[in-house]
Amino acid sequence: MRLCELLVASFLPWLAFSSPMNIIPPPANEVCLDDSSIPTVSTTLNIDLPMRDSASSIEKKDLPVFFFHGLTGNSTEGFNYQANLTAEGRVFVPLAFLREVVTNDERFANGYIFIGHSQGAMMARAVIEQMDDHKVHAFVSLAGGVNGIFYGPQEADRNSIKNLGAGFGAAVLPQQLFDFTGYTPEAYRGKMQADFVRRSMDPKLQAAYSITNLLRSPVRDVWLKTNQFLPMINNVNTCAWFDFHCHLEKIRRKNNFLKLKEAHYFASPDDGVVSPWQGSLLGHYSEVNSFGELESKFESLTVVEIHDTIEYKEDTYGLRTLDERGGLFRYTAPGVPHCCWMYDFPKFHTDGLCEFHPLFDKYVYKVLW
């Protein structure tokens, strides 16, 4: 048996690049604004704007930008990015059928940048891993749920949990399927979370409601066995030793991720939506052995930072390699509510408005050049 395993392992690198692409259907619809609140903007590809440099002299500041919106948003949510970037003559593309856009268009031949907000950041990374011929130069995650979500015990998660009962929960998962309002304040400290994990194990629910795809249960074996999306994208899904295709897919996804030159992750302790907020910096909550422990040990859950995660330590999809070659960047921006990465938005804990343009200039604009 051991000899067979070694033989399989020795052949995998040679076979990886011919592995067929496994298409993932994108999860559904963000907590910020409804359609009527967002200005109407053009979603064309700025067709009259030429690429400004030849392939030999192309710079990051000249690369086209793709924008991936969040869970309850739509492609118009990036209107501020569109206005700022097209004013400089850059090509801006809201979430679209990517391959149709980049094929036979010389403006994309030298590469492009992905910006993803909230769930859109996870979807952008999934495209990077799944698209064998992508030319993504830089990946920018804004308050992204890039390592899963779990509504845990830390104080910063209380706003997120409050939002679930105040309407966000029903917006992303119909109340008849799971009622976030049916819990006492005490039951929000473990019981609701355990019930939500159990409910999200249903593959039919995962196929229809993307919030269940993003859920990262602290009961690790349950998460690995039942979540059909996140463990695979994190390359921690279990492969039988004889499952050639599964092993090849892991190698292919990692190779695709490592085509990136840069990955930038932005987060704020005052996010109020992503839980834990450190998940936007590639952390996650600590783990327990059972649903019983999830309830009884809920208050003792702590956040595991990136360098202590299995994904980083074992370099499952390339994070450590990207970091070691100087391409992984993480930023903590205090006082930024979830939606302020897109537009002006009220602050959660203090009076006043978080303004988009100063935030964009201080953080995001710099990584697009």
Side-chain angles (χ1 to χ4, degrees), residues 220 223-224 230-232 234-238 250 310-311 316:
R220 184 176 180 82
W223 177 63
L224 291 176
L230 187 54
M232 179 180 63
N234 278 10
N235 256 10
V236 294
N237 54 306
T238 303
K250 283 190 171 186
I310 289 176
E311 287 87 346
T316 60

Side-chain angles (χ1 to χ4, degrees), residues 69-91:
H69 64 76
L71 182 58
T72 60
N74 60 48
S75 59
T76 64
E77 268 195 328
F79 63 90
N80 275 319
Y81 289 87
Q82 179 167 7
N84 288 358
L85 297 174
T86 57
E88 298 177 348
R90 295 178 76 163
V91 177

Side-chain angles (χ1 to χ4, degrees), residues 50-71:
M51 289 297 284
R52 292 183 289 176
D53 287 308
S54 67
S56 61
S57 62
I58 195 72
E59 297 182 61
K60 186 168 68 167
K61 66 181 179 63
D62 299 307
L63 294 177
V65 174
F66 285 86
F67 171 74
F68 293 72
H69 64 76
L71 182 58

Side-chain angles (χ1 to χ4, degrees), residues 1-2 56 63 72-73 76 93-94 113 131 134 169 175 220 230 241 253-254 262 266 269 295 301 347:
M1 177 73 74
R2 180 60 179 161
S56 61
L63 294 177
T72 60
T76 64
V93 187
I113 294 170
M131 186 174 173
H134 81 75
Q175 201 163 357
R220 184 176 180 82
L230 187 54
W241 71 265
R253 289 193 294 267
K254 184 174 180 178
E262 305 167 13
F266 293 88
E295 293 192 46
L301 294 175
K347 294 183 178 181

Side-chain angles (χ1 to χ4, degrees), residues 43 99 161 169-170 200 211 213 252 274 280 308 337 345 350 360 368:
T43 57
R99 198 178 299 279
I161 294 173
S200 298
I211 190 172
N213 302 128
R252 182 182 65 83
V274 174
S280 295
D308 295 319
F345 200 82
T350 60
F360 176 82
L368 301 178

